[in-house]
Amino acid sequence: MPPANDRDREAPARRRAFDRFLDGVEWLGNLLPHPVTLFALLALFIVLLSGLLAGLGLAVPDPRPEGAPGRAADGMIEVVSLLNGAGLRRILENLVTNFSGFAPLGTVLVAMLGVGVAERSGLLGAVIRAMVLRAPPRLVTAVIVFAGVVSNTAAEMGYVVLIPLAAAIFLALGRHPLAGLAAAFCGVSGGYSANLLIGTVDPLLAGITEAAAHIIDPEYFVHPAVNWYFMMTSTVIITVLGTWVTLSIVEPRLGRYDPAQASENLDEARRLEPLTATERRALAWAGASALGIAALVALMVVPSWGALRTPGVAEGIEAILPFLRGIVALVFVFFLVPGFVYGRLAGTMRSDRDVIDAMARSMSTLGLYIVLVFFAAQFVAFFGWTQLGQIVAVLGAQFLQDIGLTGPLVFLPFILMCMLINLSLGSASAQWAVTAPIFVPMLMLVGYSPEVIQAAYRIGDSTTNLITPMMSYFGLILAFASKYVRNLGIGTLIATMLPYTIAFALGWIAWFYVWVFALGLPVGPAAPTYYPAG
């Protein structure tokens, strides 16, 4: 073992080597064109590639059972060419609906209408100042990462609300706002499958897993909470790792923030001023209005007769599906009403014109995002139409089968394969719908339960969300970051988030093996580890 002073010299050397690696990633990433141009080129590339591969007759066997939705009569997945008359007609006829129907677009626009009122009235700024002026910086970082993980219960609201809020909190503390953005992003997206509560994605994945398990066992049942125990403990793992990476790697690498880099006025002069008596009074009434809205929503969700419950369903996640599906509208109201109450009492909003102006200003800040979404939506639609994503997934799974691994080590290449596939198929449900019919039966046949297989999949699906432009909200994160560093490149954002991906992959995979195989604990209630193969 080297002396202490030798270790002290080695640590900075290792840090400098890792920094050089991240600098290289950033340089390579920034060689890419503007994200809008990139998605436009990718969409064009998919059209050309589909014509080439369809002409070559590329096809793979469809692993789904006969009669499954979307399965061709001949049982093959073939490349669908867009480089012909039918493809051209399909592109032109759906160009508008691809854009207007892109799921994240509506979520972002509706939520930002309410958030814009809360921001322009001064409510968000007052809340930030009240929260963080005396808060220990290390505690703030951990709370932001943890809040990011927990925010996944409320669908995608972490992307729209928490991430820009975290950047503003770090700025208010005199820290680099991109470090705050990264801390929230790592919790919301990198920790997408970790949570203390059952979220909207759990019943969705469980249904896909159950259908895949029926290929082997037609009577097998998978309930939505099958990964709950493991995901609860994973919340702690992600929070600890995300906090450590932010404080030890990301924030030191970003250095001191220069406000001259910002693309708009950040109003630094008053960001650290204590709240005035008028602001405290307005904040108290805004808080009371928020509690009133929360109580009203609870009255419509908790009782069995509540208006936001599924009629005739008494228990389970299905009972509150109307509430979960309407979460975006509720977030809009939750920010709109307290925002106006605060603005009215603080003197920053006097009429409906001020509210409308705040909404319009919030929309104007999303101009880049809206342009990016138009081209991203075309690429995602083209990629889905050609079936290239499904073919890549099947070929990757066949490669995994050819390795011939048995025993617990089989999950390592499985998770790595899911991480790789996630770089091109960003949707958790879309990816699992294609890969579950392959991996679930395969791993059941070597003795592992569908519940454990799903838990392993969720690790792979979450960890690479942070570094793929194919993730639905990546463009939105880039737009938020550009507010603080104008002309920010894709490479800079990827290099900032790559340490989280590495740390999460190593730590989460290790925790999976400890929890499932070393400690022998179930991943969820009534969730066995092994399936009686053969």
Side-chain angles (χ1 to χ4, degrees):
M1 179 178 294
N5 58 340
D6 290 341
R7 290 197 301 269
D8 293 341
R9 285 193 296 269
E10 290 173 3
R14 288 194 296 269
R15 175 61 53 79
R16 286 194 297 270
F18 187 61
D19 283 342
R20 288 195 296 271
F21 166 70
L22 293 179
D23 290 342
V25 172
E26 181 177 359
W27 178 77
L28 289 172
N30 286 337
L31 289 178
L32 295 172
H34 190 281
V36 173
T37 306
L38 178 63
F39 276 114
L41 292 174
L42 286 173
L44 177 61
F45 174 73
I46 289 299
V47 173
L48 299 176
L49 183 64
S50 69
L52 173 63
L53 296 181
L56 295 175
L58 178 63
V60 296
D62 194 328
R64 292 171 293 185
E66 291 186 16
R71 190 179 192 273
D74 61 358
M76 300 296 291
I77 302 176
E78 300 178 348
V79 178
V80 177
S81 175
L82 299 179
L83 197 63
N84 52 31
L88 178 60
R89 289 190 294 273
R90 190 173 190 180
I91 291 172
L92 293 179
E93 291 171 0
N94 293 278
L95 198 72
V96 174
T97 54
N98 289 343
F99 174 53
S100 62
F102 195 59
L105 179 63
T107 298
V108 171
L109 295 181
V110 173
M112 286 302 291
L113 288 173
V115 173
V117 174
E119 180 181 10
R120 294 292 171 178
S121 70
L123 173 60
L124 292 186
V127 170
I128 291 169
R129 287 152 61 203
M131 287 174 53
V132 306
L133 279 176
R134 297 183 179 179
R138 291 180 180 269
L139 180 60
V140 168
T141 304
V143 168
I144 286 174
V145 177
F146 175 76
V149 176
V150 175
S151 71
N152 293 317
T153 303
E156 314 294 345
M157 287 303 100
Y159 291 104
V160 180
V161 178
L162 180 64
I163 291 176
L165 186 63
I169 288 174
F170 267 52
L171 181 66
L173 287 171
R175 302 167 68 182
H176 203 298
L178 290 192
L181 180 145
F185 188 20
C186 85
V188 173
S189 196
Y192 184 71
S193 282
N195 215 319
L196 298 180
L197 303 172
I198 301 301
T200 54
V201 72
D202 292 277
L204 187 60
L205 295 183
I208 297 172
T209 303
E210 180 178 302
H214 286 173
I215 297 175
I216 301 298
D217 186 345
E219 302 299 323
Y220 206 93
F221 172 69
V222 181
H223 62 84
V226 291
N227 296 149
W228 189 25
Y229 297 160
F230 180 67
M231 293 307 153
M232 278 197 297
T233 61
S234 296
T235 302
V236 178
I237 301 298
I238 294 300
T239 301
V240 171
L241 290 175
T243 302
W244 177 79
V245 170
T246 303
L247 296 174
S248 302
I249 300 176
V250 171
E251 200 163 11
R253 182 172 180 272
L254 289 171
R256 183 177 295 276
Y257 178 62
D258 179 7
Q261 296 177 298
S263 59
E264 61 182 75
N265 180 19
L266 299 179
D267 194 17
E268 286 193 293
R270 33 186 337 261
R271 74 172 193 262
L272 293 178
E273 292 179 3
L275 295 176
T276 65
T278 301
E279 288 175 327
R280 287 196 297 270
R281 175 173 173 268
L283 190 59
W285 279 102
S289 67
L291 289 176
I293 294 171
L296 181 61
V297 171
L299 190 63
M300 293 187 289
V301 174
V302 177
S304 59
W305 44 262
L308 294 181
R309 294 177 66 93
T310 304
V313 181
E315 298 179 354
I317 198 75
E318 292 82 5
I320 58 170
L321 279 180
F323 163 71
L324 295 176
R325 290 170 178 162
I327 196 73
V328 176
L330 294 176
V331 167
F332 164 71
V333 174
F334 190 80
F335 280 93
L336 173 67
V337 174
F340 179 71
V341 170
Y342 178 89
R344 183 72 176 178
L345 295 176
T348 56
M349 286 188 168
R350 302 185 182 279
S351 68
D352 60 324
R353 291 183 179 274
D354 295 322
V355 175
I356 294 169
D357 181 61
M359 291 182 178
R361 287 175 177 268
S362 69
M363 291 296 100
S364 68
T365 63
L366 294 176
L368 173 63
Y369 175 66
I370 293 172
V371 175
L372 187 147
V373 161
F374 174 78
F375 291 97
Q378 309 309 323
F379 167 74
V380 170
F382 295 176
F383 194 66
W385 294 343
T386 60
Q387 302 194 121
L388 288 172
Q390 294 91 322
I391 290 174
V392 169
V394 171
L395 292 176
Q398 288 175 349
F399 169 75
L400 189 60
Q401 288 177 319
D402 293 340
I403 296 175
L405 282 177
T406 59
L409 280 179
V410 72
F411 285 100
L412 183 58
F414 168 54
I415 294 173
L416 294 176
M417 182 69 69
C418 292
M419 291 172 62
L420 181 63
I421 294 173
N422 190 53
L423 294 174
S424 60
L425 268 177
S427 168
S429 58
Q431 183 189 159
W432 194 226
V434 174
T435 55
I438 305 163
F439 290 123
V440 171
M442 179 183 73
L443 296 179
M444 285 176 70
L445 291 175
V446 296
Y448 295 104
S449 72
E451 293 85 347
V452 170
I453 301 167
Q454 179 180 287
Y457 160 73
R458 297 177 75 169
I459 297 173
D461 170 67
S462 295
T463 49
T464 49
N465 279 341
L466 300 170
I467 58 172
T468 172
M470 301 300 106
M471 195 269 294
S472 300
Y473 288 90
F474 194 88
L476 181 65
I477 307 305
L478 192 65
F480 285 147
S482 298
K483 174 182 177 181
Y484 299 98
V485 180
R486 58 180 175 273
N487 300 323
L488 184 81
I490 291 179
T492 301
L493 185 56
I494 292 177
T496 301
M497 303 311 302
L498 183 58
Y500 294 103
T501 291
I502 296 172
F504 287 1
L506 295 175
W508 214 347
I509 291 172
W511 181 239
F512 173 79
Y513 277 97
V514 169
W515 181 269
V516 175
F517 299 110
L519 299 178
L521 297 173
V523 293
T529 298
Y530 299 99
Y531 177 78

